[in-house]
Amino acid sequence: MQNNNNSHISHLSAAIIGLLILGTLVLGWLSQKPSDKAYALNDENKFSQQRAFEHINVIASKPHYTGSVAHNEVHDYIVQQLQTMGLEVETQNTLALSPYYYASAYVANIVARLPANSNNPANILTIQTDKKALALMSHYDSAVSSSLGASDAGSGVATILEALRAFIASKQQHSNDIVVIITDAEEVGLLGAQAFVEQHPWAKDIGLVLNFEARGSGGASFMLLETNSGNSALIEKFKQANVPYPLANSLMYSIYKMLPNDTDLTIFRDQANINGFNFAFIDDHFDYHTAQDTPERLDRSTLNHQASYLVALLPLFANTDLNTLKSDADQVYFNLANWLLVDYPFSWVLPIFIILIAQFIILLIVGLWRRTLTLAGLLLGFIPALTSVLSAGGIGYLCWHWSLWLFPEFIDTPQGFTYSGHWLIALAILLSIILNAAIYRWTEYKFAKISPLEWLLAPTFLWLLINGVIALHLTGAGFLVLLLVAPLSALAYSIVKPQKNIHPVIYILLSLPGILVLAPQIPMFVIGLGLSLLYIASILTSLLLIVLLPIWVKMPYFKWQQRTLELATLVCIIGLVINTGYSQDQKKPSSLNYLLDGNSGKAMMFTYNPHLDIYTEQVLATADQGSELVEGIYPMNPWRKPTFSRIVQAIDLAPLNYQATQTNMTENRFVVSLLVTPQAESARIQLATDNAMMIESISVDGQAFTSEGKAHQRGFFFTHTVSQTKPILIEFTYTAEQEVEIRLLDTRFDLAKVMPTLVTRPAFIMPSPFRLTDATVISETLRYAPHNAEHNELAPLASAPQ
Ligand SMILES: [Zn+2]
């Protein structure tokens, strides 16, 4: 794009352009999170990675889900650590019920309060009478039943313990009380948070929550806001903290607001209108909720990142009037590397879009009038642009399916992100680059008369279209307008100086902010959403490329450039193939369960594994495929059905111990009372039905769920996580027109204990996350026929046969 429209870019310019783009990509990548260095080794007043890991090592030494033995040990350890800091610590022991999940448990939240030590904060002129407290939150239970919980959420607990210790040690002033809430039973329905918000007297004091979470074992940590109102006051304050690695943008904020969320913070926002910041990392998703969630696999840099937020925000929010953080307005925001967080009001997004589209139309008309642009050029530009984007989408789709064909056992990893996932993302991105460059080179060669500026018209139009959709439906993504800066500037320049085009180096300089903001996020979309959406990464790559390629194809062509890309592709393929397959460090998830039908005495083993393996084969080698055997005995949903099952000899289990009575309220309306005495091994007591019935209310030990009744079709409708062996009284009222079957299930995670003949898993296999595994389940049916007086009682009333 120099004097002569179609001349090639000089070698010097090409070298500068190459370095600028490469430098921006590296900067974008490196500035996402701190290094893994352990700072402040011997400084008592500073956060220390080592000290934080000492906590994580203790917390994550055993699975410690709510109800497990190690759970109590972890509880006691955290209490003792907080006491060592001089805090008054209490355990909130209470029954918690979640109206979202119809789940309940007796929880043990760890709660501590550090009273304010200063009444004269710089930014509060008059002393507030309704001063709010700052809450630091994470959860200490691990996921059921095999997770070690080092990242989820041992990392969060350790970050809070160590940051608070350093804060107190350095004798910092704080005008707000600081409340520590280490919740219990997060993994079984956000129950600890529910109990705190509903029942704890301090809940009304909380003005802001900083919550620390994990959905993997590595990667950068994102800041995600939760608020019922606008974000502008929160963003304003967050900016003041100058956190060293602010990784945040309002696209995530907007998407997050549209989705049903499930972190402890959601309960605070939803039920008590308390604002909060989530700090969460999501990479290495394959470790999430597994026995691989170990201290060793938690990235040091990730922990540093979590700590960097808290260390910067704690002194700030401990001295901020937390009543001032509510605002109606929303801000668009994004981090520009780790230099700064840029923000501007949501209300600007639509006007900016209107101005840009007007500018485009005017420049187009003037260009056509002056014949610097041609209609043919405009229309032809859509050929490479659309072909590039569509073929990139195809490449992403094919890469994923090719990898599934190469290694069908990929689908045994239920997280949707496999060990070779990063290689696969890199491969899809590289192939998009190679293919899109070839498409542009070919079109440019074919239609040599079209100028680079004309090639840019179609990509500009496409990006305007995207920004139009954003302005109307996804305002938080408004910052993607950055991608229009370079092409619209080039267009404007050609009007001002008709004989000259914008210098290619200037063009790339104008593109850099867009590249810096969008490029590092491209892999994150797939890491966040799963590899089956790999095409999102390749499509986004292509959308970024089409505003650069008209320049790129004018760059001097060297074979080595092409060869470098091809070599990188080859490296990705090799990386993919090497990391395909399971090993000691990349374990295959595998589930195996024992199920007893208490009514018939029929016993069976089943798995959710898509493929049998050496562990499941020992009992299921001759199994039936599918879920038929289990049907009606263990509830299932359409997307998670047992895959292999086999009848086995019943084993000796502690029985399902309950008494049931039913009262007929009206002809079709019934109250059932179940007094269940959990066995020492019992982990959860559940109710399920496959019948159409209206469950009007459920209560546990006299405490009722606050939500409205629900019509029930299939599956579980109530889950109680057992953390004490005392009997629980479950009462529910339902209406039904026909005979109904209600299943009462008692699940224990003691398979290895009760089946000592089972050979333990080899080192390359681990218990499956998200799916029931290592469990023994006793399931009994309570039948009732509304119109048949003879059967007008629940059966069986006694405890189950063994
Ligand atoms: Zn968690």
Side-chain angles (χ1 to χ4, degrees), residues 89 157 173 302 338 391 440 568 777:
V89 190
V157 175
Q173 297 288 299
T302 303
N338 61 338
S391 63
Y440 266 87
V777 184

Side-chain angles (χ1 to χ4, degrees), residues 139 152-153 186-187 213-214:
H139 66 89
D152 180 19
E186 190 269 354
E187 301 287 2
E213 259 293 5

